[in-house]
Amino acid sequence: MAGQLYLCATPIGNLEDITLRVLRTLKEVDLIAAEDTRNTIKLLNHFEIKTPMTSYHEHNKVEKARYLVEQMEAGAKVALVTDAGTPAISDPGEELVRQCYGAGIPLTSLPGPAACITALTVSGLPARRFCFEAFLPPDKKERKEILRELENETRTIIVYEAPHRLVRTMKELCEVLGDRRLSVCKELTKAFEQVFRMTLSEAVSRFEKETPRGEQVLVIEGRSRQELKARAEEGWAVMSLEEHMDYYMGQGVEKKEAMRMVAKDRGISKREVYQGLL
């Protein structure tokens, strides 16, 4: 009978945040796959857990996932833990999950801490709708494309960043998104937890003088719908009706539907669009 994979969320700082279910599971499984065994051993020693460990990280995630799947196919129960937080969230665990589904291995997630959610809840920014970008990609072209996609994002945006890249990233965000409100969160759940609420330009100024330490979570205000609407209306205003129609029909939209869309954009009736085109 096949074993099972358990995605075990571990504390992002305060060890008291671990759940009773995760503790029991880590003790009962046959093997713990850890992103960094040197880090996880501290957690296991603290709770007197003696379960064997193996490393599973970004650089061996494909090959090691195959090995772990083979172990589970033979009946082993495996717990996956990341350095801190929930596995598969900005983490190589998603590869192991994919391979488990491909092999028909049952799996479950044991909920617990996640830095992105923790930061969002203390940010003071709207939390009903949000998008999570994790670390922005290092590739310049891909990074630029993602930043442009975020330019008109109306949801609250969550980004992770390392201390040595923090100022550069905030400058890029300010340049593309404008001077938005944000919360810079560090040392979450720890004794010296801090949340700095300011604008992007104020954050750049602060951290150019104050050397940041540790990974930071940036929670950034989304663009308002009213502002987007105003910008769109301003754009349509400089277009002729013919150019506006061509904009949609060039995307393959049928003429009747294009007229409806133009009317909606401009806040006029379809009849007025038709008469204007005539």
Side-chain angles (χ1 to χ4, degrees):
M1 185 175 179
Q4 184 167 343
L5 175 67
Y6 299 85
L7 304 171
C8 295
T10 52
I12 59 175
N14 193 320
L15 294 182
E16 293 181 359
D17 290 335
I18 199 162
T19 69
L20 295 175
R21 185 180 174 205
V22 167
L23 284 177
R24 176 176 57 79
T25 300
L26 293 178
K27 291 176 182 178
E28 293 178 353
V29 294
D30 302 296
L31 183 64
I32 297 172
E35 185 175 10
D36 188 335
T37 56
R38 296 167 301 180
N39 184 63
T40 301
I41 193 63
K42 299 173 186 176
L43 176 72
L44 300 188
N45 287 341
H46 182 83
F47 291 107
E48 300 181 350
I49 297 171
K50 307 298 183 183
T51 307
M53 275 195 299
T54 187
S55 64
Y56 177 82
H57 49 73
E58 183 65 31
H59 303 295
N60 72 355
K61 64 182 180 182
V62 176
E63 299 80 7
K64 196 57 171 284
R66 293 194 194 104
Y67 165 78
L68 293 171
V69 166
E70 290 173 359
Q71 298 301 303
M72 287 181 277
E73 286 177 328
K77 288 179 167 45
V78 176
L80 177 67
V81 297
T82 184
D83 276 350
T86 301
I89 301 297
S90 185
D91 175 79
E94 62 181 306
E95 172 64 24
L96 180 55
V97 170
R98 186 185 66 79
Q99 290 199 30
C100 281
Y101 275 119
I105 301 293
L107 60 90
T108 188
S109 180
L110 282 60
C116 54
I117 299 300
T118 305
L120 178 64
T121 58
V122 298
S123 69
L125 291 170
R128 187 179 71 85
R129 299 171 64 249
F130 65 93
C131 68
F132 175 55
E133 280 297 331
F135 290 93
L136 293 171
D139 179 78
K140 290 183 179 180
K141 183 179 179 182
E142 185 183 2
R143 189 182 182 92
K144 187 175 181 179
E145 288 174 353
I146 287 178
L147 286 171
R148 285 302 176 193
E149 288 173 5
L150 293 176
E151 182 178 6
N152 292 323
E153 177 59 69
T154 59
R155 296 171 294 178
T156 299
I157 303 163
I158 304 173
V159 174
Y160 290 164
E161 193 50 278
H164 63 283
R165 294 192 301 262
L166 182 65
V167 172
R168 187 193 77 177
T169 295
M170 290 194 297
K171 284 181 177 179
E172 289 178 311
L173 289 166
C174 191
E175 181 181 342
V176 177
L177 307 184
D179 198 13
R180 308 269 188 95
R181 290 188 302 158
L182 89 158
S183 292
V184 182
C185 307
K186 59 178 290 189
E187 299 291 310
L188 290 168
T189 76
K190 299 179 184 178
F192 299 103
E193 174 179 294
Q194 290 182 299
V195 179
F196 302 107
R197 301 186 70 228
M198 57 190 80
T199 65
L200 277 164
S201 63
E202 289 169 344
V204 169
S205 178
R206 177 180 186 127
F207 289 105
E208 281 183 328
K209 301 170 186 174
E210 177 185 315
T211 304
R213 299 182 184 279
E215 288 186 356
Q216 317 278 321
V217 184
L218 308 181
V219 185
I220 307 157
E221 178 182 42
R223 190 177 294 282
S224 74
R225 292 180 179 276
Q226 292 77 11
E227 183 185 356
L228 275 181
K229 183 178 179 182
R231 289 179 66 189
E233 289 173 351
E234 184 179 331
W236 303 134
V238 299
M239 276 188 180
S240 67
L241 277 172
E242 290 80 2
E243 289 171 333
H244 203 157
M245 284 289 292
D246 289 343
Y247 172 78
Y248 286 121
M249 293 180 69
Q251 299 175 42
V253 178
E254 294 292 331
K255 185 174 181 179
K256 187 175 180 180
E257 177 63 11
M259 290 178 68
R260 186 193 68 78
M261 295 169 75
V262 168
K264 182 179 179 182
D265 289 342
R266 291 174 175 260
I268 60 179
S269 68
K270 284 194 296 182
R271 181 178 179 81
E272 288 175 288
V273 173
Y274 178 74
Q275 290 177 333
L277 291 172
L278 287 177

